[in-house]
Amino acid sequence: MNRSLTLPTFSAVTLLALLAAPAHAAPPSMTPADLHLGGPAFRALAADSYARAGLKGTFEDWLNAAYARAGVTLEGQATLTGTLDARRAHLKRLTGTAHDQLALDTAAWAHRFIKASIPRFSLERGYEFAATALHGERQCLLQSTIIAALLQRAGLDAGLVMVWKSQTGQESNLGHVTSVLRLPGGDVQVDASEPTPFARHQGLLARVDGAWRFVTPTFQGDRMTAYARADGRGRVPSAGLSFLSLAYLRSQYDYYRAERTVGGVLGTGTGRSTPQGLKTSETLLRRALKEEPRNALAASVLGTTLRKEGENEAARTQYRAAATLYAAQGHTPAGMQANLKWAATTGRFPNLFAPILALLTRSAS
């Protein structure tokens, strides 16, 4: 860590993606991540970050100490694990509305605790558990991981989803992550990037119908009661959506490391990309895609990294591979469309994809 693809049934995007992604081994499990505080997955994510930073100790020790300092107590317990175990027992004694209200109260407490104990937001390094311990910094992926860990330890059904459309309807290329609490009456977004606990982001990516899908939720108040696939091919109740897997989360952590590498694809810390930084970004993005080959964002940004390295043919191939992923998942962001346009209109065969590109432009408008 830096500390201080002519078949008439294909969509336009898929046709643009004629060059398929490289062959992979069997895809990783899509089972929702078990992140409960004290469990092996949470500990492994944190330990990986600590090892990268050369930091001794454990993140759980830091988090327990942060709980003692923050003054955001719960269930009258002195320790964080004691607090969550007591809340789990309390929740088990309740049913119906009383249970759901206490679950919401627990989520609101987790939101307050994150804001009190990790006060600073940092895109540059806040995705690292080590940066939280060293600098009191957080970012959307890390804070959502911790919230899910807290809620799961309290016996609640929680997890993470990617966000592609904000509360105001602004679209991004999967530019945000939030935690979600599942209740019988619907799912609730718990987002520590917002001033209040419960958010209403308008576009998510999670597992639906057996694959990662772009979806739009239907809200009743703060609760998401159904999800419509962005490709228009169906709608599922809230229970038909599953949260991100551990493989996806590992992939996303490495994606952020690649994105924010000093001198990497975004030019972090130097104001420009450097050969060494770009190579590090490329290595981390390839690792992210090995961990979860269906991570469309990582596939897309790998294309941009290769392009910045001057590997234009490899970049075109990678952009088309990324486009295949986006098409399968139901939505192609504007930035990816622009990258496809570059891939289709440059190189040795600049007019090969022109008719399909025109179709894509019309269908996206």
Side-chain angles (χ1 to χ4, degrees):
M1 185 190 77
N2 172 37
R3 299 175 78 159
S4 9
L5 228 255
T6 19
L7 296 181
T9 58
F10 283 5
S11 71
V13 174
T14 305
L15 285 167
L16 276 170
L18 289 171
L19 294 178
H24 294 283
S29 170
M30 299 178 75
T31 302
D34 179 353
L35 296 167
H36 71 275
L37 185 65
F42 186 84
R43 286 179 173 173
L45 290 172
D48 180 38
S49 180
Y50 269 46
R52 290 169 183 271
L55 188 62
K56 297 183 183 297
T58 71
F59 185 74
E60 284 180 60
D61 287 343
W62 182 90
L63 199 61
N64 274 292
Y67 174 76
R69 295 190 301 265
V72 186
T73 58
L74 190 72
E75 294 284 345
Q77 299 294 312
T79 66
L80 180 58
T81 51
T83 284
L84 296 170
D85 292 344
R87 179 51 57 96
R88 184 187 191 105
H90 192 172
L91 284 160
K92 281 186 175 181
R93 296 194 297 268
L94 301 177
T95 59
T97 302
H99 174 277
D100 291 357
Q101 186 57 60
L102 191 62
L104 289 168
D105 291 346
T106 307
W109 164 82
H111 180 273
R112 293 194 303 273
F113 171 58
I114 292 297
K115 286 187 168 291
S117 60
I118 316 172
R120 291 182 287 279
F121 193 91
S122 170
L123 291 173
E124 285 69 27
R125 57 191 183 190
Y127 49 84
E128 292 287 6
F129 291 85
T132 299
L134 289 167
H135 309 292
E137 295 173 342
R138 58 183 162 87
Q139 172 255 30
C140 60
L141 177 59
L142 182 130
Q143 68 193 17
S144 298
T145 301
I146 299 174
I147 289 174
L150 298 173
L151 297 180
Q152 289 185 15
R153 178 70 184 240
L156 295 167
D157 189 354
L160 280 69
V161 298
M162 301 296 293
V163 176
W164 64 277
K165 189 183 292 186
S166 72
Q167 296 194 93
T168 60
Q170 182 175 354
E171 293 190 16
S172 71
N173 188 355
L174 298 170
H176 188 56
V177 188
T178 187
S179 51
V180 175
L181 168 65
R182 172 149 293 165
L183 296 171
D187 300 336
V188 180
Q189 299 173 16
V190 187
D191 191 349
S193 291
E194 301 297 333
T196 56
F198 307 129
R200 300 183 190 179
H201 297 297
Q202 302 297 306
L204 311 176
L205 181 135
R207 184 186 178 188
V208 170
D209 294 336
W212 304 126
R213 310 276 186 197
F214 288 80
V215 297
T216 57
T218 297
F219 285 93
Q220 292 184 5
D222 288 328
R223 300 199 189 191
M224 299 179 289
T225 58
Y227 300 96
R229 287 173 49 167
D231 58 11
R233 296 182 179 179
R235 175 187 179 91
V236 298
S238 58
L241 176 142
S242 296
F243 305 131
L244 297 177
S245 65
L246 181 59
Y248 202 115
L249 296 181
R250 289 186 182 278
S251 177
Q252 199 61 25
Y253 274 103
D254 279 330
Y255 166 79
Y256 282 124
R257 290 174 181 129
E259 183 186 75
R260 297 293 168 173
T261 292
V262 172
V265 63
L266 293 186
T268 299
T270 60
R272 62 184 180 86
S273 297
T274 65
Q276 181 178 356
L278 286 169
K279 185 52 65 177
T280 300
S281 288
E282 180 187 345
T283 299
L284 286 164
L285 288 165
R286 292 193 184 280
R287 174 173 170 169
L289 287 168
K290 183 176 181 180
E291 291 162 330
E292 175 45 276
R294 297 158 295 199
N295 187 334
L297 177 58
S300 172
V301 176
L302 176 56
T304 299
T305 303
L306 293 168
R307 185 176 173 183
K308 288 192 172 188
E309 291 181 290
E311 301 288 343
N312 287 345
E313 287 304 318
R316 292 182 188 98
T317 299
Q318 185 59 40
Y319 280 148
R320 293 167 188 144
T324 301
L325 293 174
Y326 283 110
Q329 294 169 18
H331 175 71
T332 303
M336 183 71 251
Q337 292 182 35
N339 292 333
L340 279 175
K341 183 175 182 179
W342 174 83
T345 58
T346 62
R348 290 175 296 171
F349 305 105
N351 298 315
L352 181 60
F353 301 106
I356 305 169
L357 189 63
L359 177 60
L360 172 61
T361 303
R362 287 197 300 272
S363 63
S365 61

